[in-house]
Amino acid sequence: MKTEILYRKGYYGEFGGAYIPEILYNNVHELESYFLDVLSSPDFKKEYDHLLKEYVGRPTPLYHAKNFSEKYKATILLKREDLNHTGAHKINNAVGQALLAKRLGKKRIIAETGAGQHGVATATVCALMNLDCAVYMGQTDIERQAPNVSRMKMLGAKIIPVHSGSRSLKDATNEAIRDWMNNTEDSYYLIGSVVGPHPYPDLVARLQAVISEEIKYQLTEKFNRSSPDYVIACIGGGSNAAGAFYHFIDDANVKLIGVEAAGKGIHSGLTAATLAIGKPGIIHGCKTYLIQNADGQITEPHSISAGLDYPGIGPLHGNLFKTQRAQYLSATDEEALEAAMELTRKEGIIPALESAHALAALQQLQFRKEDIVVVSLSGRGDKDLNTYINHLNY
Ligand SMILES: *Cc1c(COP(=O)(O)O)cnc(C)c1O
């Protein structure tokens, strides 16, 4: 895969690496030594592909949204990750990593979750594969994502509330890493995005790359061309974007657009737009951009969508930003709500609030009428119904 050019020894340009306490060295090293061999082994591929097809429901449609196309005066295609089992792209990664954990002989899975989507995906595959499952979740997120908490419990996961810091994703990640440090022998840390120490960003990107692999052949089938003019995806840690970009990174004709959550506005102090206002630093074992104050302390991010509420970003995106291979826009809470309502009313699809940020970017771009624009519809909106009901007047 050509992204290897961008990616050497755990670094994407100057970003990435593995900044970990010594106690985790063996585990990270074990993972690094095996993951490429496992991922390319026929036995893994067969089981992974089978589960993606029969269990997750792939390939997901590349839906030609005619009403949106008319409005935005270009061909707008929605990559329907919302139709996956458990409602988002997260399951692609969870299935793959759980299969990997089993091959490493691990019996217990540790995960962190923000919106609860990664927690649900992880609890789901643990039920399927008979693995113990501990999910760390900030108390604030537990309150705003109650239906997903119930789902995880029903699936047999142990939910561990985190009361430190902003009691959201960043803090849940810290606690998950702490658990892993204390249980390195039997436990596998199943990270939910293209973040964390090497090799996680690369591992997760490869598992999500199925998204762009499908886009390529679906475009060929439908439009007789294998690449679009634009790929647009929202960015929390950056995994649905990494998956949607993956096979197009080396094709300079494809414009790659990431959309961060501006929250109440980039300069409002209540934002999660990491690349817009962040500076390089180290978070959760990896060098990347992060939102920090003058002393280098991580500041609390804000977004109306729990899945984008992360103060860092995957190192792959740090590099695509720095080298200007991809362009990063942002959408506010308000703009995301409006975009969600627009998709709902025009196409009859209620998107996740995260995905609505990617849709909001359509307004910020100028298309030619012959442009083919793929938007990653990363998840469905069921989990966000309360937020929608509280914020929208209709
Ligand atoms: C978790 C989540 C995201 C953000 O995570 P990425 O790693 O940036 O993809 C986006 N959309 C949905 C629906 C999510 O659940």
Side-chain angles (χ1 to χ4, degrees):
M1 229 128 290
K2 305 249 185 55
T3 37
E4 250 127 23
I5 298 163
L6 293 172
Y7 168 86
R8 285 216 172 83
K9 290 195 189 131
Y11 280 89
Y12 299 86
E14 66 185 85
F15 303 106
Y19 299 80
I20 48 165
E22 201 164 332
I23 192 165
L24 287 178
Y25 177 81
N26 283 342
N27 281 49
V28 169
H29 188 67
E30 179 189 38
L31 188 60
E32 191 198 350
S33 317
Y34 288 112
F35 86 104
L36 286 177
D37 287 344
V38 172
L39 259 56
S40 60
S41 73
D43 153 74
F44 174 91
K45 274 191 166 156
K46 192 171 163 217
E47 202 175 351
Y48 185 52
D49 291 349
H50 171 78
L51 286 173
L52 287 186
K53 182 163 181 255
E54 305 289 335
Y55 188 70
V56 174
R58 304 203 71 92
T60 58
L62 184 65
Y63 175 68
H64 185 176
K66 300 260 168 60
N67 299 327
F68 254 46
S69 298
E70 203 168 294
K71 159 128 202 227
Y72 291 102
K73 301 192 168 44
T75 300
I76 310 289
L77 306 175
L78 305 176
K79 185 57 175 158
R80 300 289 310 272
E81 294 301 301
D82 60 315
L83 295 178
N84 284 327
H85 180 42
T86 71
H89 65 293
K90 298 267 175 22
I91 191 92
N92 304 328
N93 168 54
V95 168
Q97 283 198 60
L99 290 175
L100 177 59
K102 282 194 89 117
R103 280 160 175 78
L104 295 175
K106 309 292 182 186
K107 306 263 182 292
R108 176 173 177 267
I109 302 291
I110 305 162
E112 81 293 327
T113 197
Q117 291 299 100
H118 174 56
V120 168
T122 303
T124 298
V125 297
C126 286
L128 176 71
M129 298 184 202
N130 192 25
L131 293 159
D132 284 342
C133 182
V135 179
Y136 286 83
M137 191 168 187
Q139 184 61 37
T140 308
D141 289 337
I142 289 181
E143 284 154 23
R144 59 181 174 173
Q145 303 290 336
N148 274 343
V149 174
S150 304
R151 276 184 198 109
M152 288 185 274
K153 285 188 178 157
M154 196 171 165
L155 288 158
K158 189 175 158 204
I159 313 296
I160 304 155
V162 175
H163 296 278
S164 56
S166 60
R167 311 191 300 172
S168 68
L169 181 58
K170 161 176 77 69
D171 315 288
T173 307
N174 288 335
E175 290 306 315
I177 293 173
R178 205 160 293 158
D179 180 323
W180 194 27
M181 282 164 56
N182 293 325
N183 298 288
T184 50
E185 278 305 306
D186 69 332
S187 297
Y188 178 90
Y189 179 32
L190 204 163
I191 209 161
S193 188
V194 285
V195 298
H198 171 65
Y200 281 107
D202 185 40
L203 167 60
V204 177
R206 285 171 191 267
L207 293 170
Q208 293 292 1
V210 65
I211 299 173
S212 49
E213 194 182 309
E214 289 175 6
I215 293 171
K216 261 181 120 76
Y217 77 70
Q218 290 171 324
L219 279 176
T220 309
E221 278 169 17
K222 286 186 187 175
F223 297 93
N224 201 24
R225 49 185 276 194
S226 63
S227 60
D229 296 288
Y230 290 83
V231 182
I232 305 175
C234 67
I235 309 257
S239 70
N240 85 92
F245 292 176
Y246 200 86
H247 291 284
F248 303 116
I249 288 175
D250 297 299
D251 183 346
N253 294 323
V254 183
K255 296 179 191 70
L256 306 175
I257 313 279
V259 188
E260 299 190 299
K264 305 270 184 232
I266 289 172
H267 300 294
S268 65
L270 291 169
T271 184
T274 306
L275 292 175
I277 62 158
K279 296 204 173 46
I282 290 169
I283 182 171
H284 301 138
C286 150
K287 184 176 173 204
T288 186
Y289 289 88
L290 51 121
I291 302 180
Q292 49 188 303
N293 65 19
D295 298 330
Q297 289 295 317
I298 296 167
T299 32
E300 302 304 344
H302 164 84
S303 167
I304 193 168
S305 73
L308 303 184
D309 206 349
Y310 183 66
I313 184 166
L316 163 74
H317 294 290
N319 191 47
L320 293 176
F321 170 71
K322 178 119 200 221
T323 58
Q324 300 186 7
R325 170 63 191 95
Q327 187 187 357
Y328 292 85
L329 306 173
S330 66
T332 63
D333 292 350
E334 219 43 55
E335 289 163 344
L337 285 165
E338 270 170 37
M341 198 59 195
E342 184 178 51
L343 188 76
T344 303
R345 288 293 170 92
K346 281 197 181 299
E347 299 287 350
I349 299 170
I350 303 177
L353 259 167
E354 290 83 2
S355 322
H357 287 73
L359 297 164
L362 290 170
Q363 311 229 6
Q364 302 177 29
L365 295 161
Q366 279 294 329
F367 303 118
R368 299 167 306 171
K369 70 172 188 323
E370 65 271 24
D371 280 340
I372 293 189
V373 179
V374 174
V375 183
S376 172
L377 200 69
S378 54
R380 66 176 88 122
D382 309 28
K383 69 183 176 59
D384 297 314
L385 278 189
N386 268 334
T387 312
Y388 287 141
I389 288 163
N390 291 336
H391 286 85
L392 296 166
N393 300 313
Y394 49 90

